[in-house]
Amino acid sequence: MNAKPKVGAVQMATGPNVSANLFEAERLIKEAAEGGAQLVVLPENFAFMGKRDQDQLTLREEDGEGPLQSFLARVARQYAVWVVGGTIPMVAKDSSKVRAACMVYDDQGERVARYDKIHLFDVSLPEVSERYHESATIEAGDEVVVIDSPLGRLGVAVCYDLRFPEMFRQMLDRGVEILVVPSAFTAITGKAHWETLVRARAIENLVYVVAAAQGGFHINGRETHGHTMIVDPWGSVLAQVPRGAGSICCPVDEEFLESVRRNFPTIEHRRLKCHG
């Protein structure tokens, strides 16, 4: 029997030192690749988390060139894996902002997709005196991304996107089978909602979800929830990294996905279609 292809996910606690972050990311990508992963997902902001949101403006790159894009292309090629590059700051139409872009590279180091984060985290958490205003420094994207990959139809989302199920219904209409979700949930929202949201997106769309997270304490004072996980189409958590840096790796079983969709045909039972 042929071995099932594997997906991997990386968890980090990123800081403001880009070189140190890239060193750690590469170490964990290598670890996942050695575990048999053919596709590895990095967390949101894997390369940089500064003391202020505005600090990322100094790292923004033009499309197709820059050290962060070069890094992703190199590690994908070097370790012969597809890499979902978390998010990196890219030039935006508004010169005072960036695009939070998730780049996907194939195992030859060629870029095959770019997704710009659509839903921006503008919320207040009064219980811990935290306020987030991503739209002050990030320009929202507007295109849903689903592409072909060796493991199946791949849909790309980022963090706060998880709360908007209509986005994933659009992906479903495009044949999605695996969702990759680089994230950086806060400790408060993560404890309350992270696992529920990740599993819900898997269950309602009957897909695998590979959710890579930031997990730990950051120099900017932020604490992220972690709990990077891989979830199957039945909503079962196959593997998880609770806290700190680490990687996980799990098989993706296309036959199981097809069986669940065939025997539990909720997708076919949809009566209300999303628009857009």
Side-chain angles (χ1 to χ4, degrees), residues 5 44 74 91 135 159 187 191 203 208 216 227 230 241 243:
E44 184 178 23
R74 178 184 64 78
V91 169
S135 64
C159 200
K191 182 179 179 181
I203 293 165
Y208 282 90
H227 291 80
I230 299 171
V241 183
R243 297 280 286 178

Side-chain angles (χ1 to χ4, degrees), residues 46-250:
F46 76 94
F48 180 76
M49 286 182 70
K51 293 184 177 180
R52 304 176 308 132
D53 290 342
Q54 292 83 356
D55 293 345
Q56 64 185 319
L57 295 173
T58 63
L59 295 176
R60 58 190 167 188
E61 298 184 358
E62 295 281 354
D63 191 64
E65 60 181 71
L68 300 182
Q69 293 170 83
S70 295
F71 167 81
L72 291 170
R74 178 184 64 78
V75 293
R77 183 173 58 251
Q78 182 171 337
Y79 300 106
V81 294
W82 281 52
V83 174
V84 179
T87 58
I88 61 175
M90 299 290 289
V91 169
K93 295 176 184 176
D94 184 337
S95 62
S96 67
K97 298 182 180 183
V98 300
R99 289 288 184 111
C102 181
M103 308 295 193
V104 182
Y105 291 83
D106 69 15
D107 56 3
Q108 302 299 308
E110 296 295 324
R111 196 179 91 187
V112 293
R114 169 181 168 173
Y115 166 69
D116 291 358
K117 186 177 182 180
I118 290 175
H119 299 97
L120 302 181
F121 192 54
D122 290 354
V123 303
S124 296
L125 303 173
E127 59 268 46
V128 289
S129 301
E130 291 182 10
R131 183 174 183 272
Y132 299 90
H133 191 201
E134 285 190 337
S135 64
T137 53
I138 296 175
E139 183 179 85
D142 58 10
E143 293 187 16
V144 171
V145 172
V146 179
I147 62 169
D148 288 321
S149 82
L151 292 88
R153 291 282 287 167
L154 195 73
V156 186
V158 172
C159 200
Y160 193 48
D161 287 331
L162 271 172
R163 295 182 182 274
F164 302 90
E166 64 275 13
M167 176 175 175
F168 302 96
R169 285 313 210 196
Q170 286 195 28
M171 290 185 181
L172 194 59
D173 289 340
R174 302 182 191 188
V176 71
E177 296 170 312
I178 303 170
L179 295 174
V180 291
V181 191
S183 300
F185 262 60
T186 70
I188 295 294
T189 60
K191 182 179 179 181
H193 302 145
W194 168 252
E195 182 173 330
T196 300
L197 287 167
V198 172
R199 295 180 68 194
R201 298 296 85 88
I203 293 165
E204 68 194 8
N205 298 295
L206 300 180
V207 294
Y208 282 90
V209 180
V210 187
Q214 293 281 347
F217 293 93
H218 305 268
I219 289 177
N220 60 11
R222 181 174 176 179
E223 181 185 0
T224 46
H225 178 63
H227 291 80
T228 287
M229 62 181 69
I230 299 171
V231 178
D232 74 14
W234 194 242
S236 301
V237 178
L238 301 178
Q240 187 171 142
V241 183
R243 297 280 286 178
S247 70
I248 49 176
C249 187
C250 283

Side-chain angles (χ1 to χ4, degrees), residues 251-266:
V252 170
D253 189 336
E254 184 178 359
E255 292 179 0
F256 175 70
L257 183 147
E258 291 175 353
S259 174
V260 171
R261 289 185 170 186
R262 182 174 60 253
N263 296 320
F264 200 75
T266 56

